[in-house]
Amino acid sequence: MSKPLKQIHLAAHFPGVNNTTVWSDPEAGSHIEFSSFAHFAKTAERAKFDFLFLAEGLRLREQGGKIYDLDVVGRPDTFTVLAALAAVTEHLGLTGTINSTFNEPYEVARQFASLDHLSGGRSAWNVVTSWDAFTGENFRRGGFLPQEERYSRAKEFLATTQELFDSWHGDEILADQASGVFLRDAKAGSFVHTGQHFDIHGQFNVPRSPQGRPVIFQAGDSEEGREFAASSADAIFSRYATLKEGQAFYTDVKNRLAKYGRRHDQLLILPAASFALADTDAEAEELARTVRRQQVSGATALKHLEFVWNRDLSSYDPDGPLPDIDPDVSDNHISKGRAQVRMYRDPLATAREWRELAAANNWSIRDLVINTGNRQNFIGSPETIARTINAYVQADASDGFILVPHITPTGLDAFADKVVPLLQEQGVFRTDYEGPTLRHHLGLAHPDDVQDEQRVAS
Amino acid sequence: MSPSPSLLHLAVALDGTGWHPASWREPVARPRELFTAGYWAHLVAEAERGLLDFVTIEDGLGPQSSHFLDPDERTDQVRGRLDAVLIASRIAPLTRHIGLVPTAVVTHTEPFHISKAIATLDYVSTGRAGLRVQITARPGEAAHFGRRTIPRIEAYDSPGAQELVTDLFDEAADYVEAVRRLWDSWEDDAEIRDAATGRFIDRDKLHYIDFEGKHFSVKGPSITPRPPQGQPLVTALGHQTVPYRLIARQADVGYVTPHETDEARAIVAEIRAEQETAGRSEELLHVFGDLVVFLDDDPAEAAARRDRLDVLAGEPYTSDARIFTGTPSQLADLLGEFQAAGLTGFRLRPAVAGHDLPAITRGLVPELQRRGAFRTDYEADTLRGLLGLTRPANRYAAA
């Protein structure tokens, strides 16, 4: 008998501050108005997606000392939008990226527990870390965390919030009007945490929420990031949406679970993926090319090169050849507030490679940027995309995908209407939600049941 | 500037099952639903039915307590609460007219975070957001954050206590200043989507706020564009000169707790004088009286209800605010007297939310309408509009 088919998990990333988001298209709507978020969330829920995902940025990006003005700029507050979306959806999970550097555990735990109550058990937290003093200039902490401490703070932050969530067991509120006993236990919510980063104690004031704890997501690809995810996350938000890279990442991370006493299915691997969908494969290829040119204007191409060169390249012609000067390898001073800048670990080698590529293909600066970045992960007709996504999941390149459309807020509509029914026909995607909470959608046990299981096992 | 005296404004303060600590034991109280969205949606829908200007939602960074500064060990009262900003946001799409004013504790939170949260609430509600700023001097709540210690106040009139409270209110004023600057840090027309130049924004219309204060500094600009109201409503409760100064300098609505009309007159005079000192005498600043209310058609019934709840609580209920017990008509008389003394509106604290809120919306409101003292329909789309406040110019925009 053949192996049963894996069920695919699908989620939707609201397009925002990123040069993959096309704002110049006549269809592009607001990135701020609630109606955009409501439309996007309702589409995702109509398609029975697991959850909606919001990224975060706590300082406007700068390039060359000025606010970056070529991409979408601005976004609303994550918690506030998710709470409002809970009012216009019934099942969709609500995942927010919240930084552990510029927040405190007590407040974040209150907000996630509140969101979980107000959504009937649909909250999830993508735990991210930051260390840069640039973002820190907006916060009391003033700034900064030594880079080597960011994971230790994140780990302790997460562990502390879990202690706060667990400080209520769920049976404390009696609210017996006849006897006058509201609380079974006057000590409900008591906690003491003493550690390197947090030394706090008292009483947590939000009772246990429907999911017990929000679902925990983790992004981050370093060795430490992978270990952190294997030890503590319910799902990992990866960037490997290709087959081979996806499989390598999948195997690596899943193999780390055993040493933390966790099973393969206790950590889902969900890469972010973009797509170009049209009626035929040929039309989709054409659409993909058009979108890439919309994503990378000449001005954007120059700015993108500046991430690597770490120099002002505004005098160059984006339709001309690459700069023949080498990157400035001193500390980055050109781009601030961007994660992707750190991806280029060896700028000299990257520049050399890019110059060779451009020369070999007769590419201009803009051609190079279009051809080396932001290629859509899935391009084709509904049939092609459905087949490819399913093949990747069955081949353990991932457990599903977090789709990042390039248009706000309608970028998911065609996928919902055309691709999802094909996945449902193949029996690899739900036709209806099985339960009310995000843990149900993701096939994750309630934390209390996991603890029971571990108690029995030990 | 004093607002025109004709109509009065009405808000209700929502806190758990109501302000009387035994309110949860009333049959209408629904205490088991307190931590659900449906509970709050129901209350706010009732307030909107009564055409009220806004609701406030109480909050705190520690368990409720019958002591002012310390937790207690009581199990016979409501304990636990959800984040007020998130409750407000959860309710916003379900309502259309009423203002939503959650409480934020400014002593331990980040002005950058609350600024974008309230701006977002303003987007989500299309112009109905406000903020009630509150300080906390509880040492136990400071221990929940571990960033600072707050010394225990032993005697309120001691110089140490006065110094601490003044410092906390000065910090609150800084907090509001940073929040307000962040709301203005984008000019209204900063998003240009100029396809010709490839520019999404005109960055000259975004501004660093460069706020520097004793307890924090904030660079800016906000990550969230200027909200629909430009400046959402800022409100604060005050009982003495130090907080009156915060109200006069920074608020759009101040809540005060006079027990008699003479006291109301004196408080209003003090706030108006502070307002002038702060150079804001041309700005509309509302001074609302806070009252706890037990409302019934028969005054004896209201008094009996209060007595019954006091017996259940094991002690007579006391409050910083005047406690009113009586009929909607009697309350309308009292509000009229307070209004004549200079108050421009009222924030009523229902003793039992499930009973006294409907008594406000279905008893008091029609009574005030009969007297020509309250609106008969929502006349504006934004909370500032309901309160007669104009949409302010952006402080950073070139004139």
Side-chain angles (χ1 to χ4, degrees):
Chain A
M1 207 175 86
S2 62
K3 197 170 117 184
L5 288 173
K6 271 170 80 180
Q7 287 293 304
I8 297 172
H9 294 281
L10 289 176
H13 181 154
F14 186 85
V17 180
N18 197 316
N19 85 294
T20 56
T21 305
V22 174
W23 53 260
S24 55
D25 192 290
E27 262 212 38
S30 172
H31 299 85
I32 300 295
E33 302 289 340
F34 183 63
S35 55
S36 282
F37 288 89
H39 177 101
F40 192 75
K42 285 175 180 175
T43 305
E45 184 161 276
R46 172 159 59 83
K48 316 294 180 199
F49 277 28
D50 293 55
F51 59 91
L52 171 143
F53 177 86
L54 293 182
E56 192 189 43
L58 296 173
R59 172 117 187 232
L60 300 183
R61 301 174 306 167
E62 290 182 4
Q63 189 120 332
K66 291 177 178 162
I67 291 168
Y68 193 79
D69 58 1
L70 302 178
D71 298 342
V72 170
V73 182
R75 56 177 109 218
D77 177 66
T78 299
F79 280 119
T80 314
V81 168
L82 293 180
L85 287 175
V88 299
T89 55
E90 275 180 61
H91 297 280
L92 190 67
L94 303 165
T95 304
T97 303
I98 294 294
N99 200 296
S100 61
T101 307
F102 306 113
N103 286 290
E104 296 299 322
Y106 193 90
E107 193 183 10
V108 167
R110 279 199 85 220
Q111 288 167 315
F112 272 114
S114 295
L115 181 62
D116 208 48
H117 279 289
L118 292 168
S119 64
R122 298 188 275 142
S123 74
W125 174 18
N126 178 36
V127 187
V128 295
T129 64
S130 177
W131 66 89
D132 64 281
F134 176 71
T135 306
E137 283 179 358
N138 283 334
F139 296 97
R140 285 181 190 258
R141 171 171 290 279
F144 52 83
L145 193 62
Q147 186 168 348
E148 60 277 13
E149 283 185 23
R150 66 190 184 119
Y151 273 112
S152 76
R153 179 173 163 105
K155 269 184 200 164
E156 192 178 327
F157 194 113
L158 179 59
T160 309
T161 58
Q162 307 289 36
E163 289 161 22
L164 293 169
F165 296 133
D166 288 351
S167 68
W168 289 74
H169 304 290
D171 58 355
E172 291 92 344
I173 294 181
L174 211 57
D176 182 350
Q177 292 176 311
S179 70
V181 179
F182 184 84
L183 266 188
R184 204 188 290 273
D185 174 10
K187 300 279 189 193
S190 296
F191 69 94
V192 178
H193 176 95
T194 308
Q196 182 192 346
H197 298 278
F198 307 105
D199 187 357
I200 61 176
H201 61 90
Q203 261 182 299
F204 188 53
N205 71 347
V206 184
R208 196 155 178 87
S209 70
Q211 291 192 111
R213 304 166 175 178
V215 173
I216 300 299
F217 277 69
Q218 213 268 316
D221 190 35
S222 62
E223 182 66 19
E224 276 179 302
R226 291 179 188 211
E227 283 299 320
F228 181 32
S231 68
S232 332
D234 298 307
I236 184 162
F237 181 25
S238 102
R239 54 189 170 86
Y240 297 112
T242 62
L243 185 65
K244 286 253 164 345
E245 284 182 328
Q247 285 173 322
F249 182 80
Y250 192 96
T251 307
D252 177 79
V253 173
K254 294 262 181 176
N255 285 344
R256 294 170 192 253
L257 289 164
K259 74 176 130 177
Y260 299 103
R262 303 179 73 201
R263 292 190 315 261
H264 253 57
D265 60 358
Q266 287 178 302
L267 177 70
L268 295 171
I269 294 174
L270 302 172
S274 56
F275 59 91
L277 170 67
D279 288 343
T280 66
D281 286 355
E283 283 169 28
E285 286 291 348
E286 182 53 37
L287 173 66
R289 275 191 294 274
T290 306
V291 169
R292 273 177 252 149
R293 287 192 75 77
Q294 286 178 310
Q295 289 168 331
V296 184
S297 66
T300 294
L302 286 178
K303 296 296 180 194
H304 200 89
L305 231 57
E306 287 183 354
F307 305 156
V308 174
W309 261 259
N310 193 26
R311 293 178 188 278
D312 178 0
L313 301 177
S314 53
S315 62
Y316 283 80
D317 176 4
D319 297 316
L322 268 65
D324 49 13
I325 53 165
D326 275 333
D328 175 355
V329 293
S330 65
D331 281 352
N332 176 277
H333 51 84
I334 269 281
S335 299
K336 299 214 182 283
R338 264 181 199 277
Q340 72 216 72
V341 170
R342 297 188 289 270
M343 283 155 54
Y344 303 111
R345 292 202 176 84
D346 184 350
L348 288 172
T350 304
R352 200 160 50 236
E353 189 191 317
W354 282 4
R355 276 198 292 254
E356 285 166 12
L357 258 175
N361 293 290
N362 196 25
W363 283 341
S364 67
I365 289 174
R366 189 176 177 199
D367 293 333
L368 174 101
V369 173
I370 287 171
N371 283 291
T372 55
N374 297 334
R375 199 179 159 75
Q376 292 88 346
N377 301 98
F378 301 111
I379 301 170
S381 66
E383 291 75 17
T384 301
I385 288 186
R387 193 172 55 242
T388 316
I389 285 179
N390 187 34
Y392 279 34
V393 171
Q394 302 309 331
D396 285 345
S398 76
D399 294 309
F401 294 95
I402 300 178
L403 298 172
V404 195
H406 64 271
I407 295 273
T408 308
T410 55
L412 209 58
D413 295 6
F415 192 98
D417 293 333
K418 294 175 178 170
V419 181
V420 167
L422 297 176
L423 294 171
Q424 290 168 330
E425 277 171 31
Q426 293 174 51
V428 292
F429 190 67
R430 70 172 66 85
T431 53
D432 205 353
Y433 291 102
E434 298 91 6
T437 71
L438 178 56
R439 285 186 186 278
H440 283 111
H441 310 338
L442 295 173
L444 299 166
H446 194 283
D448 296 343
D449 299 333
V450 175
Q451 282 165 0
D452 288 345
E453 192 182 306
Q454 283 167 348
R455 261 195 299 277
V456 171
S458 63
Chain B
M1 193 172 78
S2 304
S4 73
S6 53
L7 297 181
L8 57 80
H9 295 279
L10 268 190
V12 285
L14 301 179
D15 185 14
T17 55
W19 287 73
H20 193 289
S23 58
W24 70 272
R25 299 188 62 183
E26 288 286 280
V28 293
R30 307 163 69 194
R32 281 185 199 83
E33 294 168 45
L34 260 178
F35 304 97
T36 66
Y39 176 83
W40 296 94
H42 179 82
L43 290 185
V44 179
E46 183 60 38
E48 188 169 61
R49 190 182 186 279
L51 307 178
L52 303 193
D53 290 81
F54 61 90
V55 296
T56 62
I57 303 168
E58 297 298 306
D59 206 352
L61 296 173
Q64 299 94 322
S65 174
S66 52
H67 301 305
F68 190 65
L69 284 176
D70 299 302
D72 60 21
E73 300 242 318
R74 295 184 74 144
T75 57
D76 64 332
Q77 297 178 0
V78 169
R79 292 292 178 265
R81 57 166 105 239
L82 303 181
D83 182 275
V85 174
L86 297 188
I87 291 174
S89 189
R90 177 65 176 78
I91 301 313
L94 308 177
T95 52
R96 287 182 55 204
H97 299 285
I98 195 162
L100 300 165
V101 182
T103 297
V105 177
V106 299
T107 308
H108 303 297
T109 61
E110 295 282 356
F112 192 85
H113 285 318
I114 206 70
S115 167
K116 65 186 162 67
I118 299 300
T120 302
L121 180 62
D122 209 38
Y123 278 104
V124 165
S125 64
T126 57
R128 297 182 285 126
L131 166 67
R132 182 233 166 158
V133 295
Q134 188 175 31
I135 62 151
T136 171
R138 290 186 171 191
E141 292 183 14
H144 292 165
F145 288 79
R147 290 204 286 205
R148 69 207 281 181
T149 50
I150 291 194
R152 178 170 308 281
I153 295 172
E154 299 298 350
Y156 288 106
D157 47 4
S158 70
Q162 283 301 309
E163 194 183 322
L164 171 65
V165 168
T166 302
D167 189 50
L168 290 172
F169 273 100
D170 283 347
E171 182 183 15
D174 281 359
Y175 193 108
V176 176
E177 175 66 18
V179 165
R180 285 191 178 281
R181 287 192 202 176
L182 286 165
W183 286 335
D184 276 351
S185 65
W186 290 55
E187 294 183 34
D188 291 316
D189 52 356
E191 186 178 312
I192 53 170
R193 298 194 185 219
D194 182 20
T197 58
R199 293 179 308 145
F200 183 78
I201 50 155
D202 176 353
R203 62 181 164 215
D204 293 337
K205 295 189 172 187
L206 267 57
H207 304 275
Y208 296 97
I209 69 162
D210 289 318
F211 181 85
E212 300 275 351
K214 182 178 162 196
H215 292 280
F216 55 83
S217 58
V218 179
K219 179 76 182 171
S222 180
I223 60 163
T224 308
R226 195 167 192 242
Q229 294 184 99
Q231 292 275 319
L233 199 70
V234 174
T235 74
L237 170 67
H239 302 104
Q240 49 159 308
T241 300
V242 169
Y244 293 159
R245 202 168 287 147
L246 171 70
I247 290 167
R249 285 176 188 166
Q250 288 285 9
D252 300 298
V253 178
Y255 314 113
V256 299
T257 53
H259 287 236
E260 304 300 336
T261 48
D262 283 349
E263 199 185 350
R265 209 167 278 120
I267 292 169
V268 171
E270 190 174 354
I271 291 176
R272 297 288 174 220
E274 290 284 356
Q275 190 183 349
E276 189 151 350
T277 306
R280 290 185 71 207
S281 49
E282 291 308 305
E283 289 178 47
L284 182 52
L285 168 62
H286 283 287
V287 182
F288 277 27
D290 265 21
L291 295 166
V292 179
V293 296
F294 291 84
L295 286 176
D296 285 285
D297 292 337
D298 173 355
E301 211 176 306
R305 195 155 54 87
R306 177 179 173 178
D307 290 344
R308 188 172 78 232
L309 287 168
D310 283 354
V311 168
L312 286 173
E315 62 204 346
Y317 176 58
T318 58
S319 172
D320 55 329
R322 174 163 167 168
I323 301 171
F324 174 86
T325 310
T327 68
S329 167
Q330 290 172 324
L331 180 57
D333 290 344
L334 180 65
L335 300 188
E337 288 164 27
F338 272 126
Q339 190 186 12
L343 297 179
T344 59
F346 299 90
R347 186 176 75 143
L348 303 180
R349 306 180 188 174
V352 178
H355 180 102
D356 296 298
L357 173 58
I360 290 166
T361 54
R362 300 168 197 226
L364 175 67
V365 164
E367 178 61 31
L368 291 170
Q369 287 169 332
R370 271 193 289 280
R371 299 176 185 204
F374 194 65
R375 71 169 62 84
T376 53
D377 204 353
Y378 279 112
E379 72 278 14
D381 294 332
T382 67
L383 177 54
R384 293 186 74 90
L386 292 178
L387 292 167
L389 296 159
T390 54
R391 189 175 190 279
N394 189 319
R395 75 195 64 198
Y396 296 108

PDB file of all heavy atoms in Angstrom, chain B residues 159-178:
ATOM      1  N   PRO B 159       6.061  64.119  51.351  1.00  0.00           N
ATOM      2  CA  PRO B 159       6.789  64.717  50.215  1.00  0.00           C
ATOM      3  C   PRO B 159       7.273  63.648  49.237  1.00  0.00           C
ATOM      4  O   PRO B 159       7.249  63.852  48.024  1.00  0.00           O
ATOM      5  CB  PRO B 159       7.989  65.412  50.881  1.00  0.00           C
ATOM      6  CG  PRO B 159       7.637  65.548  52.327  1.00  0.00           C
ATOM      7  CD  PRO B 159       6.670  64.459  52.655  1.00  0.00           C
ATOM      8  N   GLY B 160       7.668  62.487  49.737  1.00  0.00           N
ATOM      9  CA  GLY B 160       8.141  61.411  48.861  1.00  0.00           C
ATOM     10  C   GLY B 160       7.057  60.959  47.907  1.00  0.00           C
ATOM     11  O   GLY B 160       7.300  60.743  46.717  1.00  0.00           O
ATOM     12  N   ALA B 161       5.848  60.800  48.430  1.00  0.00           N
ATOM     13  CA  ALA B 161       4.735  60.355  47.597  1.00  0.00           C
ATOM     14  C   ALA B 161       4.414  61.399  46.543  1.00  0.00           C
ATOM     15  O   ALA B 161       4.199  61.077  45.369  1.00  0.00           O
ATOM     16  CB  ALA B 161       3.511  60.080  48.475  1.00  0.00           C
ATOM     17  N   GLN B 162       4.410  62.651  46.973  1.00  0.00           N
ATOM     18  CA  GLN B 162       4.107  63.723  46.024  1.00  0.00           C
ATOM     19  C   GLN B 162       5.144  63.766  44.908  1.00  0.00           C
ATOM     20  O   GLN B 162       4.824  63.950  43.739  1.00  0.00           O
ATOM     21  CB  GLN B 162       4.053  65.087  46.738  1.00  0.00           C
ATOM     22  CG  GLN B 162       2.766  65.296  47.521  1.00  0.00           C
ATOM     23  CD  GLN B 162       1.522  65.212  46.640  1.00  0.00           C
ATOM     24  OE1 GLN B 162       1.425  65.856  45.607  1.00  0.00           O
ATOM     25  NE2 GLN B 162       0.555  64.376  47.040  1.00  0.00           N
ATOM     26  N   GLU B 163       6.383  63.565  45.291  1.00  0.00           N
ATOM     27  CA  GLU B 163       7.467  63.586  44.313  1.00  0.00           C
ATOM     28  C   GLU B 163       7.313  62.444  43.314  1.00  0.00           C
ATOM     29  O   GLU B 163       7.449  62.619  42.103  1.00  0.00           O
ATOM     30  CB  GLU B 163       8.802  63.465  45.056  1.00  0.00           C
ATOM     31  CG  GLU B 163      10.009  63.813  44.219  1.00  0.00           C
ATOM     32  CD  GLU B 163      11.309  63.586  45.010  1.00  0.00           C
ATOM     33  OE1 GLU B 163      11.313  63.869  46.236  1.00  0.00           O
ATOM     34  OE2 GLU B 163      12.263  63.101  44.403  1.00  0.00           O
ATOM     35  N   LEU B 164       6.985  61.246  43.841  1.00  0.00           N
ATOM     36  CA  LEU B 164       6.807  60.085  42.976  1.00  0.00           C
ATOM     37  C   LEU B 164       5.649  60.304  42.006  1.00  0.00           C
ATOM     38  O   LEU B 164       5.773  60.093  40.799  1.00  0.00           O
ATOM     39  CB  LEU B 164       6.550  58.832  43.831  1.00  0.00           C
ATOM     40  CG  LEU B 164       6.138  57.573  43.039  1.00  0.00           C
ATOM     41  CD1 LEU B 164       7.273  57.106  42.138  1.00  0.00           C
ATOM     42  CD2 LEU B 164       5.714  56.457  43.989  1.00  0.00           C
ATOM     43  N   VAL B 165       4.522  60.749  42.548  1.00  0.00           N
ATOM     44  CA  VAL B 165       3.340  60.936  41.702  1.00  0.00           C
ATOM     45  C   VAL B 165       3.600  62.018  40.649  1.00  0.00           C
ATOM     46  O   VAL B 165       3.236  61.867  39.483  1.00  0.00           O
ATOM     47  CB  VAL B 165       2.110  61.273  42.579  1.00  0.00           C
ATOM     48  CG1 VAL B 165       0.952  61.751  41.728  1.00  0.00           C
ATOM     49  CG2 VAL B 165       1.707  60.048  43.398  1.00  0.00           C
ATOM     50  N   THR B 166       4.259  63.078  41.057  1.00  0.00           N
ATOM     51  CA  THR B 166       4.576  64.140  40.101  1.00  0.00           C
ATOM     52  C   THR B 166       5.473  63.610  38.990  1.00  0.00           C
ATOM     53  O   THR B 166       5.261  63.882  37.808  1.00  0.00           O
ATOM     54  CB  THR B 166       5.270  65.320  40.815  1.00  0.00           C
ATOM     55  OG1 THR B 166       4.393  65.776  41.844  1.00  0.00           O
ATOM     56  CG2 THR B 166       5.566  66.461  39.861  1.00  0.00           C
ATOM     57  N   ASP B 167       6.449  62.788  39.371  1.00  0.00           N
ATOM     58  CA  ASP B 167       7.355  62.223  38.374  1.00  0.00           C
ATOM     59  C   ASP B 167       6.595  61.307  37.411  1.00  0.00           C
ATOM     60  O   ASP B 167       6.803  61.359  36.193  1.00  0.00           O
ATOM     61  CB  ASP B 167       8.471  61.450  39.080  1.00  0.00           C
ATOM     62  CG  ASP B 167       9.561  61.014  38.108  1.00  0.00           C
ATOM     63  OD1 ASP B 167      10.038  61.870  37.339  1.00  0.00           O
ATOM     64  OD2 ASP B 167       9.915  59.822  38.094  1.00  0.00           O
ATOM     65  N   LEU B 168       5.686  60.488  37.961  1.00  0.00           N
ATOM     66  CA  LEU B 168       4.919  59.583  37.091  1.00  0.00           C
ATOM     67  C   LEU B 168       4.018  60.370  36.139  1.00  0.00           C
ATOM     68  O   LEU B 168       3.864  60.006  34.973  1.00  0.00           O
ATOM     69  CB  LEU B 168       4.093  58.597  37.934  1.00  0.00           C
ATOM     70  CG  LEU B 168       4.905  57.538  38.698  1.00  0.00           C
ATOM     71  CD1 LEU B 168       3.999  56.745  39.651  1.00  0.00           C
ATOM     72  CD2 LEU B 168       5.614  56.581  37.738  1.00  0.00           C
ATOM     73  N   PHE B 169       3.441  61.451  36.628  1.00  0.00           N
ATOM     74  CA  PHE B 169       2.591  62.266  35.735  1.00  0.00           C
ATOM     75  C   PHE B 169       3.417  63.061  34.724  1.00  0.00           C
ATOM     76  O   PHE B 169       2.985  63.255  33.592  1.00  0.00           O
ATOM     77  CB  PHE B 169       1.662  63.175  36.542  1.00  0.00           C
ATOM     78  CG  PHE B 169       0.379  62.489  36.903  1.00  0.00           C
ATOM     79  CD1 PHE B 169       0.182  61.954  38.166  1.00  0.00           C
ATOM     80  CD2 PHE B 169      -0.642  62.341  35.957  1.00  0.00           C
ATOM     81  CE1 PHE B 169      -1.001  61.294  38.490  1.00  0.00           C
ATOM     82  CE2 PHE B 169      -1.825  61.684  36.271  1.00  0.00           C
ATOM     83  CZ  PHE B 169      -2.001  61.153  37.541  1.00  0.00           C
ATOM     84  N   ASP B 170       4.600  63.486  35.133  1.00  0.00           N
ATOM     85  CA  ASP B 170       5.475  64.161  34.156  1.00  0.00           C
ATOM     86  C   ASP B 170       5.856  63.184  33.040  1.00  0.00           C
ATOM     87  O   ASP B 170       5.901  63.544  31.861  1.00  0.00           O
ATOM     88  CB  ASP B 170       6.749  64.684  34.830  1.00  0.00           C
ATOM     89  CG  ASP B 170       6.489  65.960  35.626  1.00  0.00           C
ATOM     90  OD1 ASP B 170       5.394  66.557  35.455  1.00  0.00           O
ATOM     91  OD2 ASP B 170       7.352  66.344  36.436  1.00  0.00           O
ATOM     92  N   GLU B 171       6.113  61.945  33.450  1.00  0.00           N
ATOM     93  CA  GLU B 171       6.431  60.928  32.460  1.00  0.00           C
ATOM     94  C   GLU B 171       5.222  60.691  31.539  1.00  0.00           C
ATOM     95  O   GLU B 171       5.368  60.537  30.317  1.00  0.00           O
ATOM     96  CB  GLU B 171       6.831  59.617  33.156  1.00  0.00           C
ATOM     97  CG  GLU B 171       7.219  58.520  32.189  1.00  0.00           C
ATOM     98  CD  GLU B 171       7.551  57.202  32.899  1.00  0.00           C
ATOM     99  OE1 GLU B 171       7.208  57.061  34.091  1.00  0.00           O
ATOM    100  OE2 GLU B 171       8.128  56.324  32.250  1.00  0.00           O
ATOM    101  N   ALA B 172       4.024  60.692  32.132  1.00  0.00           N
ATOM    102  CA  ALA B 172       2.811  60.515  31.325  1.00  0.00           C
ATOM    103  C   ALA B 172       2.661  61.656  30.313  1.00  0.00           C
ATOM    104  O   ALA B 172       2.267  61.445  29.162  1.00  0.00           O
ATOM    105  CB  ALA B 172       1.579  60.436  32.229  1.00  0.00           C
ATOM    106  N   ALA B 173       2.998  62.871  30.747  1.00  0.00           N
ATOM    107  CA  ALA B 173       2.919  64.020  29.827  1.00  0.00           C
ATOM    108  C   ALA B 173       3.913  63.853  28.688  1.00  0.00           C
ATOM    109  O   ALA B 173       3.598  64.122  27.529  1.00  0.00           O
ATOM    110  CB  ALA B 173       3.183  65.325  30.593  1.00  0.00           C
ATOM    111  N   ASP B 174       5.116  63.374  29.032  1.00  0.00           N
ATOM    112  CA  ASP B 174       6.110  63.104  27.982  1.00  0.00           C
ATOM    113  C   ASP B 174       5.598  62.028  27.031  1.00  0.00           C
ATOM    114  O   ASP B 174       5.782  62.107  25.815  1.00  0.00           O
ATOM    115  CB  ASP B 174       7.425  62.609  28.604  1.00  0.00           C
ATOM    116  CG  ASP B 174       8.270  63.744  29.165  1.00  0.00           C
ATOM    117  OD1 ASP B 174       7.848  64.913  29.049  1.00  0.00           O
ATOM    118  OD2 ASP B 174       9.345  63.448  29.731  1.00  0.00           O
ATOM    119  N   TYR B 175       4.989  61.027  27.613  1.00  0.00           N
ATOM    120  CA  TYR B 175       4.466  59.903  26.841  1.00  0.00           C
ATOM    121  C   TYR B 175       3.436  60.413  25.830  1.00  0.00           C
ATOM    122  O   TYR B 175       3.496  60.112  24.634  1.00  0.00           O
ATOM    123  CB  TYR B 175       3.818  58.926  27.831  1.00  0.00           C
ATOM    124  CG  TYR B 175       3.472  57.539  27.330  1.00  0.00           C
ATOM    125  CD1 TYR B 175       4.214  56.432  27.735  1.00  0.00           C
ATOM    126  CD2 TYR B 175       2.374  57.318  26.499  1.00  0.00           C
ATOM    127  CE1 TYR B 175       3.885  55.150  27.327  1.00  0.00           C
ATOM    128  CE2 TYR B 175       2.028  56.027  26.086  1.00  0.00           C
ATOM    129  CZ  TYR B 175       2.787  54.957  26.502  1.00  0.00           C
ATOM    130  OH  TYR B 175       2.448  53.685  26.100  1.00  0.00           O
ATOM    131  N   VAL B 176       2.499  61.211  26.311  1.00  0.00           N
ATOM    132  CA  VAL B 176       1.466  61.725  25.410  1.00  0.00           C
ATOM    133  C   VAL B 176       2.091  62.619  24.340  1.00  0.00           C
ATOM    134  O   VAL B 176       1.715  62.565  23.167  1.00  0.00           O
ATOM    135  CB  VAL B 176       0.367  62.479  26.192  1.00  0.00           C
ATOM    136  CG1 VAL B 176      -0.648  63.095  25.232  1.00  0.00           C
ATOM    137  CG2 VAL B 176      -0.331  61.548  27.174  1.00  0.00           C
ATOM    138  N   GLU B 177       3.072  63.406  24.751  1.00  0.00           N
ATOM    139  CA  GLU B 177       3.733  64.277  23.771  1.00  0.00           C
ATOM    140  C   GLU B 177       4.392  63.440  22.667  1.00  0.00           C
ATOM    141  O   GLU B 177       4.252  63.733  21.473  1.00  0.00           O
ATOM    142  CB  GLU B 177       4.780  65.155  24.480  1.00  0.00           C
ATOM    143  CG  GLU B 177       5.614  66.029  23.559  1.00  0.00           C
ATOM    144  CD  GLU B 177       4.810  67.118  22.829  1.00  0.00           C
ATOM    145  OE1 GLU B 177       3.686  67.434  23.278  1.00  0.00           O
ATOM    146  OE2 GLU B 177       5.309  67.643  21.805  1.00  0.00           O
ATOM    147  N   ALA B 178       5.076  62.359  23.062  1.00  0.00           N
ATOM    148  CA  ALA B 178       5.727  61.493  22.067  1.00  0.00           C
ATOM    149  C   ALA B 178       4.676  60.830  21.171  1.00  0.00           C
ATOM    150  O   ALA B 178       4.833  60.766  19.951  1.00  0.00           O
ATOM    151  CB  ALA B 178       6.584  60.434  22.770  1.00  0.00           C
TER     152      ALA B 178
END
